[in-house]
Structures are given as C-alpha cells and as structure tokens.
C-alpha cells in the first residue's frame, strides 16, 4: 500500500507458478488502473514516500515455450511510475557481468533510502543502497553504494536512524547478532554490536515503541525479548506455550504491536501487545472444530548416527500405548537454513483424530541452531540430514511409538529429496512414503528455472567432487530392484520451482524397480505449482488422497464416528 493509502500494488499467479503479474488498484474507487507488469519472480513492491511509484524486480521475457523450465537469470531492479506502461519503467540497477545476481529493493520507513539486498544463492547476500535525498522528490538516479559487498554472510536490514543502519547478520556470529553501521563511516572498525550473539539463534528483529523486538529460537521454538535501543534488555514477552511467534508489527512510535502465535495444538492466533503494561490479549482467534484437550506435544532428543543430538516434536493422543502399533507420520525438511518450528494444521488434526502420531524432526541443514547447524547438512555433508531422519525413524521404533509397517515419512521440495533419498537407503524402515514436489535428479537439478541457486546447499555435478557426493545419494540414481514401501509421489504441472520432471522420472524408475507388492503411484495436480496459491478445495482433495493412501497402506482401522 502506498504511504498515503491511495494505491495498492498486488500480484497474481496463474496456476500456481512462481511467475507473478502486478496490478495497481485505486483504493478510493476500488478500481484497477491500466498498470500491468509482467515477468516478475521473487519480488515485492516498495513504494517511494511520494506515492508516485514503486521499486520491483523482474526477469527478461523468456523465449516462447521456455517460461516454466528455462533457467532464471539476469534479474533487474526497476521503478514503476503509476499510470505508465511497463515499457517506460526506469531501470534502477542491473549487472550483466553477474547474471546470477538478484536484487530486492525496499524503501526505508523514513523514505530516504532504498536498500538493495543482492543475492546469488540461497545463503549469503550483499547489501547495496541508494540515497534518494528528499523523500517527496526522490532522486532515482542517485549513485548505488556497495555497503556490504563481499557475499560472506547473511545480512538482513532492520531499520535506520538517519545514516545509522541496523542489520541482523551472521557475519562472525553463526547464531546472528544485531549491528549498527553508520553509512557515513562504514568501515568495519566503526561498526557497533547492539545485541551480541547468544546461545540461541536470533531469528528476527523489529522496532516498535522505539524498542527492539527480538525473536530468538530456543530448541526449535520461539522466545521473545524486548531490548532498548542501546541494547539493554528490558523484558521477556510471555507466550501461551511452547510454539512459534512471529510478526510484532507496528509503527516505530506505536505503544502497541500485533503478533501471531501457533503451536501443534494451538491454532494460529493474533495477539495485541501493550508495551506499557506488558500484557498480551487475544485480538483474533480462529474457530476450529477440534478439541485439543485430549492431545499433547512432547519434545524428545535422540542421537543421530555420529552422536549429534537432534530434537523432535511428537504430538499424539494422551495416554497412548508404546506397543509399536501406532500409525506415525514422520515429517522433515533439513535444508537451506529453514527451521521447522511448531505450527497448527487443520489437516493434521484429522490424522491425530484417527489415532496417528505426528512427528516433526529438526534435522541438520535447517537453521534451528544457527549457521553451523545449517552447514552441517550441506554439500558433501548432506548425508548427515538423511542420517538424522533415519535415526528419528529408528528412535520411534525403538521406543515403541510405532513399527516399520505403521510408519510413514513425508516431506516436500527439499523434503521430497529427503524422503526419496532415505527410502532408497533404508526401504525396510517404512510402511509408506510421500515425497512431494521433490528434487529427485541431483545431477541435473541446476539446469532448470532457479535450480542453479541451490548449489550453495547442494553443490553441483559440474564439479568432480560435487558429482561424486550427489550421485551417491541422488534418489533417482539410487533406485535398484528391491521391495520398496508403498509410495505416492505428488507434483503439479505448473511447478516451475522444482520442475515436475523430477517426480515423473523418479516415479517411473521406482515403478520399474519395485519388486514387492506395495503400490507406487504418482498424483499430478493440474493448474497448480510448487504449493503456494492452491485453492482450499484443491488442498483438501490432495490431503484427503494422502490420508486415504496411508489408511489403506498402513492398515489403519477407523472409528468413523470419532472422526470428522
């Protein structure tokens, strides 16, 4: 929304694709203007304070027929002026000498600067900026200043006080810290650490009520603290239970903020926080037809193959018997510094009501314990992720929660790779597997759409060492004649993040190699993509198929009267 509240920029995606089209709506009339912007991916829209237009980034128009498969390169940052055609948009920044670089442009709250987060992978980034001068008459042609240009860490801009910029960074701090850089004296020796690295991961920082709202992750769940602007701790915000909090949105001077909280048995709820009293009150809560009182969540820690302690959340009915007979749904991801924290899912309540256990493992490769934890699951160390997941399954079996015929594993995208690799390595551990939109051909993943950017996590088969360790676990290449567990691969025809060819090849190869009696199916959703943008009806149908597949293949006996 523009600063004066007059215009709204919004984007739409066709059939779930990552490609976006931007439109501009006049909020006074409710009508769309003629503005229509195309060939946009991985971009927001950030208005200049004068309300004349916004920054966004786009790719060149692809060749006919290549839109959903061709590699995405040569992104450029533009400024669009309201009421003009896209062909007249002003080019703000490009780097033809660096075709893999991408640019995000965000205007600071004071309207003075546009911050450019420059990325070339899913890990480290650089920070450039422009001084726009007078916010009501921004100088779009101002010089681009390369502030943090080494691509040696992950830097997230928080806010600024004039020329002092605040960043959350993992430079020399694997669990992140908050620093201040005066761009008039930007040399590293002049930087100030406001909040130093701690034992827990500093996940996010915002400024409301002229204080820093700091979100930490402790053993894969959230803790919230409030610090004064000099870095002194003020107080901790009490949360309802172990779970995940996010948001704390508000204007910098506001004495109040809003945040969301969720956990496995706690539907996502919006809270209002009063800085003066320190009280949180429910602002909006959903009405979900589920009674959580008969269920519980526990956190366990188990040892992986190399002795590393790995956390896992288990949610189930109270009083379950540990006799190995409980149907169990083990989910994981393990990559790209992405953390799996507690969250509520309506579809998962159906699984719980059917007597199932939901297990969520916090594997290496994620960000649960900072950059060291992430790096321990990348490139030649990726097998650690699979070992962590296998160890989670072995723990559930050893402790009597479940047994191989009752155990299903699931994951999507990088988690689909996880499921594919683990089922190829230890098929006897599982009764069913559900790999979704997975990266299954590790020798060719980098040849399609944005796949090249994942090499920071995976490595590349273009390099001899990369070929060796990728080939060693690539799901497609490690299927051999064997009795594999019941498998339902899921993908979508418009997935231009992980192109569906991965799943097509994997399913065909698995069907060829299946020496047992268990079914191997592939479910291909039409007019859908990698996951975002699916209408509710489509999500329900897909999840119903997953649950039906598990009920059949794990031998679950339903008490129909006790379920939805």
């Amino acid at each position: 929304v523009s600063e004066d509240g007059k215009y709204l920029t919004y984007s739409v995606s066709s059939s779930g694709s990552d490609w976006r089209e931007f439109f501009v709506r006049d909020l006074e009339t409710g009508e769309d203007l003629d503005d229509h912007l195309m060939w946009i991916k991985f971009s927001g829209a950030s208005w200049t304070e004068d309300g004349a237009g916004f920054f966004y980034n786009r790719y060149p128009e692809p060749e006919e027929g290549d839109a959903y498969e061709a590699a995405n390169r040569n992104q450029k940052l533009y400024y669009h002026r309201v009421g003009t055609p896209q062909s007249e948009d002003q080019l703000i920044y490009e780097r033809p000498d660096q075709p893999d670089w991408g640019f995000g442009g965000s205007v600071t709250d004071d309207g003075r600067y546009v911050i450019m987060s420059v990325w070339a992978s899913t890990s480290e980034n650089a920070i450039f900026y422009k001084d726009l001068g007078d916010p009501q008459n921004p100088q779009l042609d101002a010089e681009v200043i390369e502030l943090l240009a080494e691509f040696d860490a992950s830097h997230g801009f928080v806010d600024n006080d004039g020329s002092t910029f605040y960043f959350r960074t993992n430079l020399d701090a694997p669990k992140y810290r908050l620093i201040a850089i005066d761009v008039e004296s930007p040399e590293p020796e002049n930087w100030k650490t406001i909040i130093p690295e701690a034992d827990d991961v500093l996940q996010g920082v915002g400024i409301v009520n002229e204080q820093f709202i700091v979100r930490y992750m402790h053993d894969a769940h959230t803790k919230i603290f409030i610090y004064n602007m000099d870095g002194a701790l003020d107080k901790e915000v009490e949360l309802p239970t172990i779970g995940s909090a996010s948001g704390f949105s508000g204007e910098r001077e506001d004495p109040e903020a809003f945040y969301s909280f969720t956990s496995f048995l706690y539907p996502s709820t919006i809270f209002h926080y009063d800085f003066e009293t320190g009280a949180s009150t429910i602002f909006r809560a959903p009405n979900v037809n589920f009674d959580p009182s008969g269920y519980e969540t526990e956190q366990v820690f188990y040892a992986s193959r190399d002795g590393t302690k790995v956390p896992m959340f288990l949610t189930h009915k109270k009083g379950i018997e540990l006799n190995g007979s409980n149907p169990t749904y083990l989910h994981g991801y393990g990559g790209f510094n992405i953390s799996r924290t507690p969250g509520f899912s309506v579809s998962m309540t159906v699984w719980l009501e059917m007597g199932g256990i939901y297990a969520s493992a916090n594997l290496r490769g994620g960000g649960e314990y900072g950059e060291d934890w992430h790096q321990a699951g990348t490139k030649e160390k990726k097998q650690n992720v699979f070992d962590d997941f296998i160890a989670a399954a072995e723990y559930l079996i050893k402790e009597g929660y479940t047994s191989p015929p009752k155990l299903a594993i699931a994951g999507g995208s990088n988690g689909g790779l996880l499921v594919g690799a683990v089922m190829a390595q230890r098929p006897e551990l599982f009764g069913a597997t559900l790999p979704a939109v997975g990266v299954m051909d590790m020798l060719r993943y980098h040849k399609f759409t944005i796949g090249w950017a994942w090499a920071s996590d995976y490595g590349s088969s273009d390099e001899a060492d990369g070929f060796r360790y990728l080939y060693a676990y690539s799901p497609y290449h490690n299927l051999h004649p064997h009795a594999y567990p019941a498998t339902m691969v899921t993908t979508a025809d418009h997935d231009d993040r992980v192109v569906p060819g991965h799943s097509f090849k994997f399913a065909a190869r698995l069907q060829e190699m299946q020496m047992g009696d268990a079914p191997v199916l592939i479910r291909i959703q039409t007019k859908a993509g990698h996951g975002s943008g699916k209408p509710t009806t489509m999500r329900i149908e897909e999840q119903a198929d997953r649950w039906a597949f598990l009920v059949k293949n794990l031998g679950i006996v339903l008490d129909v009267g006790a379920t939805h």
Side-chain angles (χ1 to χ4, degrees), residues 150-430:
E150 299 303 319
F151 291 94
D152 54 357
S154 174
H155 312 287
F157 178 80
V158 175
D159 206 335
N160 68 298
D161 280 321
S163 63
T164 299
F165 290 8
Y166 298 104
F167 292 97
R168 169 185 169 265
T169 180
N170 62 6
L171 181 65
D172 301 324
K175 294 184 178 179
Y176 294 87
R177 59 181 171 138
L178 182 70
I179 64 172
I181 300 176
D182 187 338
V183 297
E184 294 181 357
S185 303
E187 297 78 16
E189 58 268 24
N190 297 325
W191 298 359
K192 294 181 180 179
T193 296
I194 306 299
I195 301 176
E197 182 183 26
D199 291 337
D200 293 330
V201 179
L202 197 164
Q203 271 194 301
V205 183
I207 301 180
V208 186
N209 193 50
E210 296 296 344
Q211 292 180 297
F212 292 113
I213 315 302
V214 181
R215 178 164 50 98
Y216 282 102
M217 182 163 46
H218 173 80
D219 286 338
H221 63 270
T222 302
K223 288 179 174 286
I224 302 292
F225 295 91
I226 298 176
Y227 289 81
N228 295 325
M229 295 299 291
D230 61 0
L233 176 63
D234 182 10
K235 68 185 72 163
E236 181 177 1
V237 177
E238 185 176 348
L239 300 175
T241 184
I242 290 178
S244 305
S246 61
F248 278 92
S249 58
E251 297 295 333
R252 182 159 174 165
E253 307 82 13
D254 286 353
E256 60 181 357
F258 296 86
Y259 68 94
S260 65
F261 180 83
T262 182
S263 193
F264 296 108
L265 298 172
Y266 200 106
S268 295
T269 299
I270 307 299
F271 285 86
H272 171 269
Y273 182 77
D274 187 314
F275 281 88
E276 183 175 347
T277 64
S280 293
T281 53
I282 293 177
F283 180 76
R284 175 112 184 217
N287 181 18
V288 180
N289 184 22
F290 173 71
D291 180 6
S293 63
Y295 303 85
E296 62 184 347
T297 296
E298 57 179 322
Q299 187 177 37
V300 300
F301 294 84
Y302 63 90
S304 188
R305 182 179 182 179
D306 62 359
T308 299
K309 186 174 70 171
V310 180
M312 176 166 58
F313 292 102
L314 304 177
T315 304
H316 49 73
K317 285 183 178 179
K318 293 178 178 178
I320 61 168
E321 293 186 39
L322 300 183
N323 57 10
S325 66
N326 302 293
T328 300
Y329 184 92
L330 172 60
H331 195 279
Y333 187 80
F336 297 104
N337 203 27
I338 294 172
S339 304
R340 289 197 42 83
T341 58
F344 187 81
S345 163
V346 169
S347 65
M348 198 51 62
T349 66
V350 178
W351 178 253
L352 296 175
E353 289 179 336
M354 290 192 295
I357 295 173
Y358 175 52
S360 179
N362 299 108
L363 316 173
R364 280 175 284 184
E368 287 85 348
Y369 293 104
E371 185 61 16
D372 291 344
W373 189 258
H374 168 221
Q375 290 298 328
T378 62
K379 296 183 178 178
E380 74 278 4
K381 299 176 184 176
K382 187 69 174 176
Q383 183 60 40
N384 286 336
V385 183
F386 311 138
D387 289 343
D388 290 355
F389 204 49
I390 289 168
E394 292 175 331
Y395 174 90
L396 293 168
I397 294 166
K398 177 175 178 282
E399 297 297 322
Y401 288 96
T402 193
S403 57
K406 295 289 185 180
L407 177 58
I409 54 173
S413 195
N414 176 74
L417 158 64
L418 169 71
V419 172
V422 166
M423 70 169 288
Q425 294 180 16
R426 294 291 302 277
E428 79 285 355
L429 273 182
F430 315 111

Side-chain angles (χ1 to χ4, degrees), residues 4 8 14 51 110 115 146 184 268 320 333 343 357 534:
D4 58 8
L8 167 75
S14 296
D110 62 6
I115 308 297
E146 298 186 4
E184 294 181 357
S268 295
I320 61 168
Y333 187 80
I357 295 173
K534 284 184 182 176

Side-chain angles (χ1 to χ4, degrees), residues 13 30 40 66 89 104 135 192 220 253 263 298 393 417 427 487 493 496 517 527:
S13 160
I40 300 167
D66 283 348
D89 288 354
K192 294 181 180 179
E253 307 82 13
S263 193
E298 57 179 322
L417 158 64
T487 299
D493 64 345
D496 50 358
D517 297 327
K527 292 187 69 63

Side-chain angles (χ1 to χ4, degrees), residues 15 17 68-69 435-441 448-449 454 476 489-508 522-530:
S15 300
S17 168
Y68 296 103
E69 292 187 357
V437 294
V439 189
M440 299 305 198
D441 181 349
F448 304 97
T449 61
W454 311 334
Y476 173 74
V489 180
T490 52
T491 187
D493 64 345
H494 281 73
D495 188 348
D496 50 358
R497 185 85 57 86
V498 179
V499 295
H502 282 279
S503 293
F504 298 164
K505 291 169 61 173
F506 180 77
I522 183 168
R523 185 189 193 279
I524 306 163
Q525 182 66 57
T526 58
K527 292 187 69 63
H530 197 58

